[in-house]
Amino acid sequence: MYSNKSRPVRKRIALAPQRSHGKLRVVALLEAGAAVIAEKGFQAATMAEIASKAGAPIGSLYRFFPNKEILADALIQRFEELIAKAFEEINGRIKSMSMAALADDLLDLMVDLHGESLAIRALLEAHSDWSAKRVEFRSAMRQRIAKTLTLRCPKLNPKVARNMATILLQNMKTVGVLSDELRGDALSGALAELHEMTRLYLVEKLRH
């Protein structure tokens, strides 16, 4: 028998839905959580606001995510899975892709995940336990980009691939910065220039 002092603490985790309806509900709750946290930050976001954004009863949110920290962990895991899936799709077409198409796909990845990225950024800045994830994310992203470049050009020097991955990751992050700061024609014009710059960079570096 364990005493109150010696009884092991069980870490609460998110409930994994078993039915399709429950899976759809969880997706909606995660998307709502990302949107609210991206807008207000982790500390200011409330579970009630997230449930309202998802159009779900508050009890349903707590059923799957007992607290906000567990929801945040699930959002981080979801973002990692979305990134992995995006690179799998790019890598699946890499042999037939032009350099221009590769540049566009890498930058568009960050456009598609901009809302998720804002939420993840807010999370990583809000809690010391999550801030360590920032370094892990950047390292993993550089590795994914370097792998994609090597798949496109198998003879590419590994060191060059790593250096190129660092530059391309910065360009991808710039997409988020521009999307935060600009709107309308100013945004579309800046993104067009960034796309053109990245295309020319890949063509120049990988043409041999």
Side-chain angles (χ1 to χ4, degrees):
M1 296 289 291
Y2 290 108
S3 68
N4 288 338
K5 292 184 179 180
S6 63
R7 184 179 293 116
V9 176
R10 294 183 179 180
K11 182 179 179 180
R12 302 178 76 185
I13 60 174
L15 175 66
Q18 301 300 314
R19 298 181 179 180
S20 58
H21 177 74
K23 292 178 181 179
L24 291 174
R25 174 59 59 85
V26 165
V27 169
L29 290 170
L30 287 173
E31 289 177 347
V36 174
I37 290 172
E39 178 185 356
K40 298 193 171 185
F42 176 72
Q43 300 297 344
T46 68
M47 295 291 271
E49 288 174 310
I50 292 169
S52 176
K53 182 77 172 179
I58 187 68
S60 180
L61 176 58
Y62 278 113
R63 175 171 176 260
F64 291 109
F65 305 104
N67 58 51
K68 197 164 57 170
E69 286 72 19
I70 291 174
L71 175 63
D73 286 335
L75 284 172
I76 291 173
Q77 181 180 347
R78 168 185 163 84
F79 187 69
E80 292 173 335
E81 292 170 352
L82 290 172
I83 290 290
K85 181 179 179 181
F87 273 94
E88 286 176 6
E89 292 176 351
I90 292 173
N91 292 344
R93 308 189 311 274
I94 194 67
K95 294 294 185 181
S96 61
M97 290 174 69
S98 66
M99 297 302 176
L102 175 56
D104 290 344
D105 274 15
L106 289 174
L107 296 182
D108 287 344
L109 185 157
M110 299 311 293
V111 173
D112 295 340
L113 297 179
H114 181 60
E116 301 278 348
S117 297
L118 288 175
I120 296 303
R121 191 189 315 165
L123 290 176
L124 298 184
E125 293 173 353
H127 200 296
S128 59
D129 290 344
W130 294 321
S131 63
K133 277 283 187 182
R134 187 181 311 163
V135 176
E136 294 178 20
F137 274 143
R138 290 174 180 170
S139 177
M141 283 292 287
R142 286 193 294 268
Q143 291 177 26
R144 291 186 187 280
I145 296 168
K147 177 182 177 180
T148 296
L149 294 174
T150 302
L151 287 173
R152 183 62 177 80
C153 297
K155 294 183 180 180
L156 186 64
N157 181 285
K159 183 177 180 179
V160 174
R162 290 194 297 271
N163 291 338
M164 290 181 65
T166 298
I167 298 303
L168 289 168
L169 179 57
Q170 291 302 313
N171 284 10
M172 293 167 72
K173 290 165 63 177
T174 299
V175 172
V177 174
L178 293 174
S179 298
D180 290 343
E181 296 181 354
L182 303 176
R183 295 292 183 271
D185 291 342
L187 175 59
S188 59
L191 288 177
E193 292 297 319
L194 183 61
H195 274 260
E196 182 65 15
M197 181 178 72
T198 307
R199 292 176 196 134
L200 292 172
Y201 175 71
L202 286 179
V203 169
E204 175 64 24
K205 296 292 293 185
L206 303 179
R207 62 182 175 177
H208 300 297

